[in-house]
Amino acid sequence: MRKRLSAELIGTFWLVLGGCGSAVLAAGFPDVGIGLLGVSLAFGLTVLTMAYAVGGISGGHFNPAVSLGLAIAGRFEMKHLPAYWAAQVAGAVLAALVLYVIVSGKGDFAGVGGFASNGYGAASPGGFSLTAALVTEVVMTAIFLIIILGATARGAAAGFAPLAIGLGLTLIHLVSIPVTNTSVNPARSTGVALFADGPALAQLWLFWLAPLAGAAIGAMIWQALLADD
């Protein structure tokens, strides 16, 4: 279990540092910024690389919603959820702390701003409402779980699951960054919210509720309609 929790902490650390770091440091860099496309790809690459690196140790969840969905689908023991969630949140917070130290070292530093946090209303990149944010996060997380469960099913091509999951997460970001800045991962949302300026902490409840609900829905859809009995 120590190795499994270490793998989840490190994997989630990389997801937040690589994904949110690309948004904070590189997305809007003058003339050569990577933009929405680059940030979306960065999030997908973090999951892809860590799924290959440590997925064989812990299952490569890196996300409390994924752990819950896998447990509901019978792929993970419910009794391990608290420990996995703790490791994932710890990894996310540690990554956000490292990113804060980097950002605050800039010569003209005057605060971190939104810090790649998730939000709705005035905190949404596109000004989308609470309802729009809720629907987006629930649906995107549900689809993400279906992708994960399908890519790791017994009949799936061996060795390709990280590619499908990483590209799936990339596509999710391409769709939903304008709405919520894309969470689908409560740990990712929690880490940066602790350091962000603005309403990120006050709105964090949604980015636990919606991804967890979406993961449960996705797992139940898989079990009811798609699972190989």
Side-chain angles (χ1 to χ4, degrees):
M1 181 56 72
R2 178 182 59 81
K3 289 184 178 180
R4 292 168 68 182
L5 297 180
S6 296
E8 284 299 303
L9 188 151
I10 292 168
T12 312
F13 173 90
W14 183 232
L15 184 151
V16 173
L17 185 63
C20 296
S22 71
V24 171
L25 299 172
F29 198 81
D31 300 326
V32 293
I34 61 175
L36 184 153
L37 294 174
V39 172
S40 299
L41 183 59
F43 272 101
L45 288 173
T46 63
V47 170
L48 187 157
T49 51
M50 274 296 163
Y52 277 122
V54 301
I57 299 171
S58 68
H61 302 184
F62 319 139
N63 181 337
V66 170
S67 297
L68 176 64
L70 291 175
I72 291 172
R75 303 273 192 92
F76 181 67
E77 293 186 68
M78 281 281 186
K79 67 180 182 180
H80 294 318
L81 273 180
Y84 263 56
W85 284 11
Q88 291 155 355
V89 171
V93 172
L94 182 59
L97 174 61
V98 170
L99 185 57
Y100 178 85
V101 171
I102 294 170
V103 170
S104 63
K106 196 169 185 289
D108 59 352
F109 176 71
V112 296
F115 206 52
S117 60
N118 305 111
Y120 55 85
S124 160
F128 286 84
S129 69
L130 168 59
T131 300
L134 174 65
V135 171
T136 298
E137 290 291 328
V138 169
V139 172
M140 292 296 167
T141 313
I143 295 297
F144 192 38
L145 259 294
I146 291 171
I147 292 170
I148 291 169
L149 290 166
T152 57
R154 283 177 296 178
F160 289 96
L163 286 170
I165 295 165
L167 289 173
L169 187 60
T170 298
L171 179 55
I172 286 168
H173 278 78
L174 287 172
V175 174
S176 59
I177 283 178
V179 184
T180 62
N181 220 17
T182 310
S183 172
V184 302
N185 184 335
R188 167 261 191 270
S189 297
T190 301
V192 291
L194 294 175
F195 297 87
D197 299 328
L201 268 179
Q203 296 185 358
L204 182 59
W205 65 272
L206 178 69
F207 301 103
W208 275 88
L209 174 65
L212 292 177
I217 291 169
M220 288 187 286
I221 290 172
W222 175 266
Q223 287 292 87
L225 302 177
L226 302 168
D228 182 4
D229 296 327

